[in-house]
Amino acid sequence: MDQYDVVIIGGGPGGYNGAIRAGQLGLKVACVEKRETLGGTCLNVGCIPSKALLHASELYDSARKDFAGLGIDVAPILNLPVMMKSKADSVGQLTKGIEFLFKKNKVDWIKGDGRLAGPGKVEVTDASGAVTVLEAKAIVIATGSRPAPLLGVTVDQDRIVDSTGVLVLSAVPESLIVIGAGVIGLELGSVWRRLGAKVTVVEYLDRITPGIDTETAKTLQRSLTRQGMTFKLGAKVTGATLTAKGVELSVEPVAGGPAETLTADRVLLAIGRQPVTDGLGLETVGLTTDQRGFIHTDHLRTAADGVWAIGDVTPGPMLAHKAEDEAVACIELIAGKAGHVNYDLIPGVIYTFPEVATVGKTEEELKAAGVAYKVGKFPFTANSRAKVNHEGDGFVKVLADAKTDRILGVHMIGPDVSEMIGEYCVAMEFSASSEDVARTCHPHPTRSEALRQAAMGVEGWTMQS
Amino acid sequence: MTDIMTPALGESVTEATVARWAKKAGDAVKRDELLVELETDKVSLEVVAPEDGVLTEIDAEEGATVVAGQRLGRVGVGTGVQSVVVAVAAAAAPALTPPAPTQAHQAAPPTAPGLPLAPSVQRIVTENQLDAATIIGGGKDGRITKGDALAAIEARSVAPAPTPAPAAAAAPPLVSPPPVVMATPPRPPHEREERVRMTRLRQTIARRLKEAQQTAAMLTTFNEVDMTAVMALRNQYKDAFEKRHGVKLGFMGLFVRACVAALKEVPSVNAEIDGQDLIYKNHYDLGVAVGTERGLVVPVVRNADALSLAGIESAIAALGKKARDGALSMEDLQGGTFTISNGGVYGSLMSTPILNAPQSGILGMHKIQDRPVAEKGQVVIRPMMYLALSYDHRVVDGQGAVTFLVKVKEAIEDPRRLLLEI
C-alpha cells in the first residue's frame, strides 16, 4: 500500500492546483484522475475549449460584420475542422503543461477512478479494472461537477447535447435551441450563433444570468438580442422529441397559458451543474451530502476526520478560480499554515461579446441588506479606446459604501472586461475606497480608464462624460 | 559611490530619528566603521560603512526623521579631497531648488507610517491635519482605509459629545473598530504645569497598550503561590549553582520553566488570532519585561523550552544587561509568544497586566510577602506571592486560563514537578 501525506481525488483546477501546492510544501502527494488527461472539466471540456471557440468565432464574426467598416473588405470562409483542431491542440498543450508541473513538484498522478475506502484510504480502480489502495493522512475530495439533467430531455450528445457535446459539433447547425440562459448557455449559444446558427435561448426564470446585477444582465440581453439571439424567458421545457429533421421541444409559459412546440436542428441543455459525489464511498468515512449532493465543510474540513472537500462539490459558485483558491487554502491548512479564502471577492465572468465581469455585491444584495451605497457609472461609448475600436457597448458600475466610500461591488459589461476586473479585486482585497481608484493614474488611451472614471462617478466627479 | 540606507527597523517600527553622525562629510571611513546612530521607538541602531572610502554626502542631518530604505548618505571610493569637493557641490545643489513636495510618497507628513498611505487617506490626512500615526487601520495588514480616516475626523469633531448621534448608530456596521485619535486640542500650559513631548518609546508604548486593550477581550485571573519551596531550593543551591554555571539562580528562571510547562498544557495561551484563524505555536519564546531608564522593554528568551535553567538565567541576564546598556537589537524584541512581567521588583502586591499583542497571555509576578495562611488547620506564616494571568478571552477560555495559573502555582510550590515534568 502506498503511503501519502495527501491524496487528492480529482485532477481539475481544484485537484491539480492543490497537488502542486502540496508538492511545493514538501508533502508527499498523489492526485487521482479518471480522465486520460489532467485538468478536469475546465481544461478538457469546459472553460478552456469554450474560450478557444469563443475567440475564433468572434474573429470570424468580426471579419464578416465589422472589418468592412474599418476599411478591410474580406469574405471569410469558415473551416470548422481547422477551428476544432486549433482548439484541441491548445487543450492538449495545456493538459501536458499540468503533467509537467506534476513532475516538477513530485506529484504522483494515479490514473483511475478514486473512491474513499474508510478513514485514510483511497481505492483506485484503473481502466483495466485493477484496484489499488492508497493510504493518506489527509484526503481531499475535488471531484467537481457534471451537467445537470432535465426530466424529459435526454442528452444523446448528437441531437441533444450538453456543454461537452456542444464543443465538438461536426457541422454548424441551422438552428440551435439553448435551454438555460446562464453563463454556459449564453457563451456556447454565442459561439454557434456567430458561426451561423439561428439561436433561441429558453429560460425558466424571467431574466437571464440569475445572480448577476440586474442592470448588467439587461444590458447583456439587449446586446445579444441585437446580435441575433432570440430569448424566450419565463418558459418551461416539458419534453423533447427526436424527429427526422431534428428535435421538437414542448415549452409552456411558467406563468400559465398555452404550450407551444419549438423545433431546431440541435438542442443544448445548459440548465446548470451538479456536484459529483455519488459512488465516492462517502459512507465509508461517515460522510453525507445535502439533498442536492453537496458536501458541506467548515473551512474546507468535512465532518470526517482527515477528509477535506474543495471546489464544485462544496456549496458556492461553481468556478475554477474558486476551486483553485480553496485548493491552496486547503493544502496550506493541512500543512499547518494559515490558508484562507475570501469568499466575498470571487469574481465572475461571462465570456460573451460584450463580456460581463463582476466582483462583490450587486445593487440588489446591498438593497436587501439595507446598506446605504453610492453608484458611479461610466459608459464605454465615452471611452476613447473603445470608441476607436468601434466597441462602445457596455459600462462600468462601481458601488461604494455611502459613508466610508469603501468599494462594495463592481459590475462591468464591455469588451475585454474579463481582463480588467482583477484591478478591482486587488483594490477590494485591500479595502480600497472608490476615491483610491479615482486617484490612481491609469494609462491613456485604454479601456481601463473607464474603471477610473466610474470610480470618480461615485463621488460625482466623473470628468469624461 | 554607495548609498547608505536606513536599515529595516523591525515590526511595528516605521521610522527612526538620526541621533548622531560619527563622521562628517569628507571624512575618510573604513569598512564597518560607525557612521551614524539612529534611534527608534525601541532601540538604538548603528549604521556602519559598507566599504572603505569617503563619506561624500549626508542626506539626513541629526534630528531628522527617516524611514526604512531612505538614503542617509553616500560613501564614495577614492581619496578624500576630490570627493569632498564633489560632495559639497552636490550638497549645495538641492538647497537652490525649492522642495517639490508632490513628487514622492515620502513627502507625506513626517508622522506618516512607513507604508505609503492610500491616495484617499493621504488627501484626508493632509486636508484635515490628522496624524496618520494615531489612526488605527482596519484594512489588510492594518492599513488605514478611507473609512478609518473619515471616522478619525468624525471622532475628533464629535469627541466632546457623550453619545453618538442616533443616525450614526443606525448606519451599517463598520468593518473596523473606531479609530483612536488625539482628540484634545492643544491648550496653553497652566503656570504650574509643564508640557513635555512624549518620547518615541513612550508614544509607542501608549499606542500599543491601547491597541491591545481595544483588540483583545482581555481579562485577568488570579492565584497565589507559596514560595517556601523555591526559596529553600535557592538558599540551598545558589552558591553551587553560581559556581557551576557562572550565573545567579533567580526566581525568574523557575517561573519561565513553570510557564513553558503550563503553556504546553494549555496551548491556547501560546496562540494568537490571525483573521478568522488561530495560530498555535509549538515554539516557546518568552518575553521578560525589563524596566530601563527610558521605559519598559520586553526582550525575548528564545526557545525557552529547549534551554536548561542555567541557560534561561544566562539569557535573561544577558538581555537585561543589553536593555540597561541600550544595546538591544530589534531581533531581541520581536516574536515573543508569551510574556512575564514582574511588578514585584517595584513592590507591587497585585496588578492586572496588559497583553503584549498579538500574544494571548501575560503572567504578572508580584512582591513576595510573608502572610498568615491556613495550612492543615493551623495559621502559619508563609512567603506568598500573588500571580495574575491576563488573557485574551477570544482565544483562551476561562478553564484554560485558570488551569494555566494552577499549573504555574503547582510547579513553583513543588519545583520537583519541573524535574519530573508532571
Side-chain angles (χ1 to χ4, degrees):
Chain A
M1 232 182 301
D2 288 320
Q3 297 267 3
Y4 288 97
D5 294 321
V6 184
V7 170
I8 300 171
I9 308 178
Y16 80 72
N17 279 296
I20 290 169
R21 187 74 186 118
Q24 285 178 340
L25 295 176
L27 300 173
K28 186 164 162 52
V29 57
C31 182
V32 183
E33 170 59 53
K34 64 181 172 187
R35 267 197 187 86
E36 282 303 304
T37 52
L38 292 166
T41 299
C42 164
L43 206 42
N44 290 284
V45 290
C47 328
I48 298 299
S50 66
K51 259 82 270 175
L53 292 182
L54 279 159
H55 175 67
S57 63
E58 187 179 325
L59 291 180
Y60 174 71
D61 202 34
S62 259
R64 285 203 309 163
K65 294 181 179 162
D66 306 333
F67 278 22
L70 296 166
I72 308 167
D73 288 327
V74 289
I77 298 162
L78 176 66
N79 186 334
L80 191 60
V82 172
M83 193 181 281
M84 289 293 180
K85 182 172 182 308
S86 151
K87 173 201 72 175
D89 287 350
S90 303
V91 168
Q93 284 164 18
L94 287 167
T95 57
K96 284 275 179 281
I98 300 174
E99 285 178 40
F100 162 76
L101 291 172
F102 270 24
K103 287 201 189 91
K104 183 180 161 194
N105 291 288
K106 299 190 172 59
V107 178
D108 286 350
W109 172 18
I110 314 285
K111 289 185 191 176
D113 208 346
R115 65 187 293 276
L116 298 163
K121 288 195 175 60
V122 173
E123 191 180 275
V124 184
T125 311
D126 72 12
S128 70
V131 175
T132 43
V133 177
L134 312 176
E135 269 197 6
K137 291 179 195 149
I139 298 169
V140 180
I141 301 171
T143 43
S145 59
R146 62 165 80 93
L150 179 63
L151 200 66
V153 182
T154 310
V155 171
D156 64 2
Q157 299 296 28
D158 176 27
R159 288 293 173 188
I160 303 178
V161 295
D162 61 15
S163 58
T164 302
V166 78
L167 294 170
V168 290
L169 295 182
S170 54
V172 179
E174 203 169 295
S175 54
L176 172 72
I177 294 177
V178 177
I179 307 177
V183 176
I184 295 170
L186 297 183
E187 289 182 6
L188 293 166
S190 288
V191 166
W192 294 105
R193 202 275 308 149
R194 294 167 190 169
L195 297 181
K198 182 177 173 351
V199 174
T200 306
V201 179
V202 182
E203 166 62 45
Y204 183 88
L205 298 175
D206 58 2
R207 58 163 293 172
I208 68 167
T209 61
I212 297 284
D213 174 77
T214 305
E215 185 184 16
T216 308
K218 282 194 173 143
T219 307
L220 176 63
Q221 190 183 337
R222 268 201 302 278
S223 287
L224 294 175
T225 304
R226 216 166 37 235
Q227 292 163 16
M229 213 179 255
T230 309
F231 288 92
K232 215 166 196 33
L233 303 183
K236 182 180 174 187
V237 175
T238 54
T241 319
L242 297 182
T243 65
K245 288 178 64 184
V247 187
E248 282 184 354
L249 219 52
S250 322
V251 177
E252 56 187 51
V254 173
E260 61 176 321
T261 303
L262 304 178
T263 57
D265 276 0
R266 313 257 178 180
V267 168
L268 164 62
L269 180 63
I271 56 166
R273 299 180 64 80
Q274 61 184 26
V276 177
T277 48
D278 45 336
L280 252 185
L282 295 179
E283 68 288 350
T284 66
V285 294
L287 270 186
T288 51
T289 66
D290 67 14
Q291 276 190 331
R292 295 182 304 155
F294 288 106
I295 301 172
H296 288 254
T297 68
D298 176 17
H299 290 81
L300 311 172
R301 269 187 189 83
T302 69
D305 256 4
V307 181
W308 306 66
I310 59 172
D312 289 2
V313 295
T314 63
M318 288 178 157
L319 295 170
H321 46 272
K322 179 231 181 200
E324 183 181 336
D325 256 38
E326 289 184 332
V328 171
C330 176
I331 296 298
E332 290 182 349
L333 288 171
I334 288 172
K337 295 175 172 296
H340 178 66
V341 179
N342 185 351
Y343 287 100
D344 291 333
L345 291 183
I346 294 175
V349 171
I350 307 174
Y351 296 84
T352 45
F353 187 92
E355 289 182 335
V356 172
T358 72
V359 65
K361 303 283 185 229
T362 63
E363 287 201 56
E364 293 75 37
E365 285 170 332
L366 292 175
K367 277 179 194 147
V371 175
Y373 65 94
K374 289 187 189 172
V375 183
K377 206 171 134 189
F378 189 80
F380 279 107
T381 47
N383 173 271
S384 53
R385 186 70 186 279
K387 196 79 180 171
V388 296
N389 288 11
H390 295 231
E391 293 171 341
D393 269 7
F395 57 80
V396 177
K397 180 162 75 170
V398 176
L399 311 175
D401 188 288
K403 187 174 157 74
T404 65
D405 194 29
R406 181 177 178 162
I407 304 167
L408 301 174
V410 179
H411 307 277
M412 340 193 210
I413 174 166
D416 284 343
V417 292
S418 62
E419 300 290 352
M420 302 201 291
I421 193 75
E423 170 180 335
Y424 270 104
C425 294
V426 174
M428 290 170 74
E429 187 64 52
F430 285 84
S431 321
S433 60
S434 77
E435 184 184 347
D436 290 327
V437 175
R439 290 189 185 279
T440 299
C441 191
H442 285 63
H444 173 78
T446 62
R447 295 186 186 97
S448 73
E449 289 175 278
L451 306 184
R452 182 187 192 180
Q453 294 289 331
M456 288 174 160
V458 171
E459 297 198 320
W461 58 299
T462 296
M463 295 172 68
Q464 296 171 2
S465 83
Chain B
M1 201 73 91
T2 306
D3 291 343
I4 311 300
M5 311 300 279
T6 307
L9 301 168
E11 67 187 23
S12 80
V13 181
T14 53
E15 54 188 10
T17 308
V18 177
R20 185 178 74 89
W21 276 95
K23 297 284 176 186
K24 300 193 301 287
D27 284 358
V29 296
K30 291 252 177 253
R31 187 195 159 110
D32 293 335
E33 199 176 359
L34 174 67
L35 285 182
V36 56
E37 289 174 15
L38 306 177
E39 271 183 1
T40 75
D41 302 352
K42 289 179 176 171
V43 290
S44 302
L45 294 170
E46 294 184 344
V47 179
V48 298
E51 58 190 17
D52 291 354
V54 173
L55 180 63
T56 53
E57 289 175 37
I58 289 179
D59 297 326
E61 298 293 340
E62 287 176 12
T65 299
V66 291
V67 298
Q70 186 174 337
R71 197 174 75 184
L72 297 163
R74 306 179 94 179
V75 168
V77 288
T79 53
V81 185
Q82 203 173 9
S83 299
V84 177
V85 177
V86 176
V88 170
L96 299 175
T97 41
T102 52
Q103 273 188 339
H105 278 298
Q106 278 77 2
T111 42
L115 284 175
L117 298 175
S120 60
V121 176
Q122 179 67 71
R123 175 187 64 76
I124 292 165
V125 163
T126 308
E127 288 178 358
N128 295 280
Q129 293 168 348
L130 296 175
D131 180 358
T134 62
I135 304 173
I136 291 179
K140 201 178 180 77
D141 302 331
R143 285 170 172 78
I144 302 169
T145 65
K146 182 178 181 180
D148 298 331
L150 290 172
I153 300 176
E154 204 164 293
R156 182 175 63 179
S157 52
V158 305
T163 48
L174 290 172
V175 289
S176 50
V180 183
V181 289
M182 302 308 164
T184 34
R187 63 176 179 84
H190 191 267
E191 57 183 86
R192 283 191 286 165
E193 290 173 345
E194 189 184 2
R195 180 183 285 271
V196 179
R197 183 83 179 170
M198 285 199 284
T199 62
R200 286 207 167 284
L201 181 64
R202 173 57 52 194
Q203 287 180 37
T204 301
I205 291 172
R207 197 182 70 238
R208 297 203 33 142
L209 289 176
K210 206 59 216 165
E211 274 171 22
Q213 276 188 327
Q214 211 121 30
T215 309
M218 190 157 55
L219 75 163
T220 307
T221 180
F222 300 98
N223 213 315
E224 61 178 351
V225 56
D226 180 345
M227 299 289 286
T228 308
V230 286
M231 288 173 84
L233 177 85
R234 188 188 187 196
N235 283 334
Q236 188 174 352
Y237 292 113
K238 66 179 178 194
D239 295 337
F241 187 90
E242 188 167 357
K243 207 168 155 190
R244 179 88 167 86
H245 299 295
V247 61
K248 282 184 180 162
L249 175 59
F251 293 134
M252 196 50 113
L254 287 161
F255 271 96
V256 168
R257 260 298 169 79
C259 284
V260 169
L263 288 171
K264 285 181 174 171
E265 184 91 7
V266 189
S268 57
V269 183
N270 205 41
E272 76 174 71
I273 285 189
D274 183 41
Q276 295 177 7
D277 299 316
L278 284 174
I279 299 174
Y280 288 98
K281 295 165 202 161
N282 297 318
H283 52 104
Y284 302 88
D285 304 317
L286 268 60
V288 179
V290 178
T292 71
E293 280 177 14
R294 298 167 60 225
L296 190 77
V297 289
V298 188
V300 177
V301 177
R302 306 263 158 215
N303 298 314
D305 56 323
L307 291 177
S308 66
L309 196 58
I312 294 170
E313 289 289 5
S314 314
I316 294 172
L319 290 169
K321 179 172 189 310
K322 273 171 115 177
R324 282 186 298 277
D325 294 349
L328 285 172
S329 69
M330 291 311 302
E331 287 73 33
D332 293 329
L333 298 168
Q334 288 176 358
T337 61
F338 180 81
T339 296
I340 300 177
S341 160
N342 187 359
V345 296
Y346 305 114
S348 167
L349 200 55
M350 181 89 103
S351 68
T352 58
I354 295 180
L355 289 169
N356 190 5
Q359 297 168 19
S360 296
I362 179 169
L363 178 78
M365 291 165 59
H366 299 95
K367 184 179 182 221
I368 301 168
Q369 196 184 40
D370 283 345
R371 276 202 298 273
V373 292
E375 191 178 284
K376 293 177 189 154
Q378 300 290 318
V379 176
V380 291
I381 306 294
R382 292 289 186 212
M384 301 300 291
M385 180 196 282
Y386 288 117
L387 292 179
L389 176 76
S390 291
Y391 60 101
D392 187 345
H393 211 348
R394 297 177 304 165
V395 184
V396 184
D397 60 23
Q399 185 194 357
V402 173
T403 305
F404 177 92
L405 216 42
V406 168
K407 290 297 293 184
V408 173
K409 169 192 167 78
E410 286 176 353
I412 296 298
E413 290 188 345
D414 184 359
R416 292 173 300 180
R417 282 171 170 273
L418 293 174
L419 184 65
L420 300 175
E421 298 182 2
I422 54 174

